[in-house]
Structures are given as structure tokens and as C-alpha cells.
Amino acid sequence: MNHQGSTREAALSDQSTAASAPTDLALGGYALPGRVPDPRPAIAQAIAAQRLGMSTVWLSERWGTKDFGVLAGAFSQVTSTIKIGAGITHFQSRHPALLASLAMTAQGLSDGRVVLGIGRSVDKMWSAVGLPKSTNASIVDSVDIFRRLCRGERVKYDGPAGTYPSLRLTDVPEAPVPPLVFAAIGSKGLELAGRHFDGVLLHPFLTPEAVRRSADVVRAAATAVGRDPKSVRIYATVIVASGLSAEEEAAVVGGRAVSYYQIPTFGEQLATANGWDVQRLADIRDHPLLAGVRGAADSVLERDQLVEVARVLPEQWVRGAAALGTPSECWAMFERYRDSGADELVLHGSTPDQLEDVVGARPGATLAVK
């Protein structure tokens, strides 16, 4: 950007419109949701998220245009209060020393505002790119390796997470180890989050009832190992589409739903968590437009094609697990998620700069930065 200096100065002097009023519900938002050919709009989206008083700006890392390390550094220089979250990256996609170095460099740049979301993903993806799959044992050990490296400790390790004769970050900034948040759907992943992580990032398209059940599993697991269950933050991801035409809403919500439900294992886990009929997934996966598709549909199909596939989804699978309609209708759904145990809602599908009407419609109050 040619006006980087002026952009940063303006951004840092722009006070949050919501910082003066406390609230019991924090909101975060995703920059660059879905496939994007150009990462530069993320800068304005991060600025907008802070201006609206959001707690966290999140990035779903995707190789090519959404590298978390690069964009976290950029976000850190145009914001001053909002947290910067990876939602998500993976332990095995970077060498442990490189991941810890990325995280601590970003911590130094941002004055300690980084949150690192970690996922498991599916085994087929790791086989395709030649990297080891995740196991519970490798994840748990990777958590310990990461935290020790971020503290400047020397690590010697040989186990499920790999073989590392001698690892150390020689210099680390005076900043805390970033919180680690685990993305989970099934009970085993939720229990792992409660036992070993600082938070859990729940998948989009969970109903409020499914969020309640998930939060209960996480907090019970934390309690079982002597942790304070309130110390494990529950992030519930909610797809939001407000004030859109029927066509745009179908693209934002229905198309995104298809990209999740059609993935083997993910689709089953979502349907099971919500108490839905798993057999209905065949209606999606047997659609002619998905014939021969391997991996995520949104990496292959165009937007209008995803919308066409979405027409076979049961209405409850979309409207029962997303915030749609007017801003007040969206807030009614937000409050259901809050009452189900969510500490922070991560708004997805719409970018922060598209959410001003929704964020500004909070009944009786405005958002607080948490």
C-alpha cells in the first residue's frame, strides 16, 4: 500500500466506538473468509473490527493468500487493542521452532495480542501434502513443545510429535506465551481442549443446543484434571448474514454450509453434534456438481455452483445454526449462543466492515473490547 504510514496512523488514532460500555458478550470477526485472490482487503477489515469494538480479529489460514504470520504482523501495525487470532493453523504445517518463532515475533509486534488456534484437520489432507497426520498424543506433546520454546527453554524431544535433538529460540521478546485454542467438534477433541488448551474454537453450523453440550464437555474435562473450567475460553463460531438479498444470503450461508457438510468426517461430526439425521448428508454428496470432488468443495466449485448444491440442504441445517435476518434477529440468536455457554462469538461469513449494522444493534448497550 502506498499510504501505509498514514493508514497506520489513522488506524491507531481511531478509537473504538464501543469501548466505553461493558458487556457480558464479546464478539470477534473473521477477515478474509473463504477463498480470496488478494490478501490486502484484510487490512481494512482488521481496522474495522477494532473500530467496532470487537474482541478478536481472526484469520482462517489458507496457503497462498492467507498466511497467518504475514497477516498477523500487518494487523499488529494497524491496530492497537484488538486480539489477533489464527482460526486456524496446524502444528505440523510448520517446524516447531518456526511456529514458536512466528508466534513470539507476532507477540512482540502486537504487545502480546496473539491467540493461536490449532486444528487437527483430516488425515487425507496430510497424506496428500506429505505431512504426518495429527494424533491426540502428537497434539498434546506439541502443545508442551510450543510453550517451552516460547518461554525460551531448550527442548530435546523424541516422540509422537517428531524427533528434535536440540531446539531453542535464542531470543524471545518480553511477552507472554500466546494462548492456544483447539478447534474441535467431537467429544474427544473437546476433552483434549479442556485438559490441555486455553480455549476451544467451536465449528460453524453448531446449534445453540450443540454449543451448550460442547461447552459442558470442555468444562467437565478441565475440572477432571484440576483446572478452573472458567479458564478455558469457549469461542463459538457463528455464520452471520444480515440485510442481504436472498441470492447473497444463499451464497454466504448455504454455499459455506455445503463446503463443511460435504467433507467426510466433518459432515458426520456436525450432523451428530446437532442431533440431525446423518443420512441426509447423502443428498449433498450425491449432487452431480460434487461428483469427483476431493477435499473441500469451495476449493473447486464456483460460488454459484455451491449455491445450487445448497438447495438440497434441510432448512434447519442452515437457519437453525446461523444468525440470519435483521440485526435484531441476529442478536436474538447471539443471545441464545451466549446463554449456551459461549464466552465469545466469532462472526463468520460476513467481514467486519460488513457487520456495522449488526454490531450496532445490540439491545441496550454496545460491545466492549475484552
Side-chain angles (χ1 to χ4, degrees):
M1 291 184 294
N2 293 332
H3 305 290
Q4 181 179 5
S6 59
T7 299
R8 181 174 187 269
E9 182 179 353
L12 296 179
S13 65
D14 185 13
Q15 298 297 314
S16 165
T17 59
S20 60
T23 180
D24 61 350
L25 177 61
L27 297 187
Y30 267 96
L32 301 179
R35 293 174 61 187
V36 295
D38 183 355
R40 289 174 292 183
I43 305 303
Q45 292 166 12
I47 293 170
Q50 178 168 290
R51 178 176 57 81
L52 292 174
M54 287 185 161
S55 295
T56 314
V57 57
W58 295 84
L59 183 80
S60 179
E61 188 169 60
R62 188 185 288 246
W63 298 342
T65 54
K66 297 199 294 184
D67 183 281
F68 179 70
V70 174
L71 286 169
F75 293 167
S76 75
Q77 298 306 290
V78 296
T79 62
S80 58
T81 56
I82 193 168
K83 295 181 179 67
I84 300 166
I88 56 175
T89 187
H90 304 86
F91 280 129
Q92 65 267 56
S93 62
R94 294 179 176 88
H95 186 280
L98 293 182
L99 181 63
S101 176
L102 180 159
M104 292 310 292
T105 301
Q107 281 288 74
L109 284 170
S110 66
D111 293 325
R113 291 185 282 132
V114 171
V115 177
L116 200 66
I118 295 293
R120 183 192 301 272
S121 199
V122 295
D123 292 350
K124 287 185 177 180
M125 187 196 85
W126 298 120
S127 296
V129 300
L131 291 172
K133 67 179 182 180
S134 297
T135 65
N136 286 353
S138 70
I139 290 169
V140 169
D141 285 1
S142 293
V143 168
D144 182 61
I145 292 169
F146 174 83
R147 288 172 173 159
R148 290 177 61 194
L149 288 172
C150 289
R151 292 194 294 263
E153 298 177 18
R154 186 178 300 280
V155 173
K156 297 180 180 180
Y157 175 87
D158 185 8
T163 299
Y164 308 109
S166 182
L167 298 179
R168 186 184 178 194
L169 302 184
T170 304
D171 299 300
V172 293
E174 292 291 332
V177 177
L180 286 173
V181 175
F182 191 55
I185 305 174
S187 59
K188 291 182 179 179
L190 295 169
E191 291 169 357
L192 200 69
R195 291 194 299 266
H196 300 284
F197 285 79
D198 304 299
V200 64
L201 181 62
L202 300 179
H203 205 279
F205 291 107
L206 290 178
T207 65
E209 293 76 18
V211 166
R212 182 186 302 279
R213 291 190 289 270
S214 299
D216 287 346
V217 172
V218 171
R219 288 171 174 147
T223 300
V225 295
R227 302 182 68 192
D228 179 357
K230 294 182 180 179
S231 70
V232 185
R233 192 167 179 82
I234 309 292
Y235 297 90
T237 307
V238 182
I239 302 297
V240 179
S242 179
L244 304 180
S245 66
E247 179 181 354
E248 185 69 12
E249 181 180 289
V252 169
V253 185
R256 183 168 293 278
V258 167
S259 70
Y260 297 135
Y261 292 137
Q262 57 85 210
I263 299 176
T265 304
F266 271 7
E268 282 78 5
Q269 287 182 319
L270 281 171
T272 300
N274 288 324
W276 295 335
D277 183 3
V278 175
Q279 300 303 316
R280 295 299 302 271
L281 292 169
D283 298 339
I284 305 167
R285 294 168 179 171
D286 292 343
H287 195 285
L289 286 173
L290 290 178
V293 172
R294 298 179 180 274
D298 66 348
S299 66
V300 179
L301 301 186
E302 298 298 329
R303 184 169 171 165
D304 60 334
Q305 293 175 308
L306 289 170
V307 171
E308 181 61 31
V309 178
R311 298 184 194 281
V312 306
L313 287 170
E315 184 176 7
Q316 177 65 11
W317 287 34
V318 176
R319 296 194 167 273
L324 311 177
T326 65
S328 61
E329 289 172 327
C330 289
W331 271 104
M333 184 60 102
F334 294 167
E335 290 169 352
R336 289 183 62 196
Y337 281 109
R338 176 201 58 198
D339 294 343
S340 295
D343 297 306
E344 179 172 333
L345 303 187
V346 183
L347 308 187
H348 205 355
S350 299
T351 55
D353 52 319
Q354 298 171 327
L355 290 170
E356 186 164 0
D357 289 346
V358 172
V359 172
R362 179 186 177 89
T366 53
L367 291 176
V369 178
K370 287 188 175 181

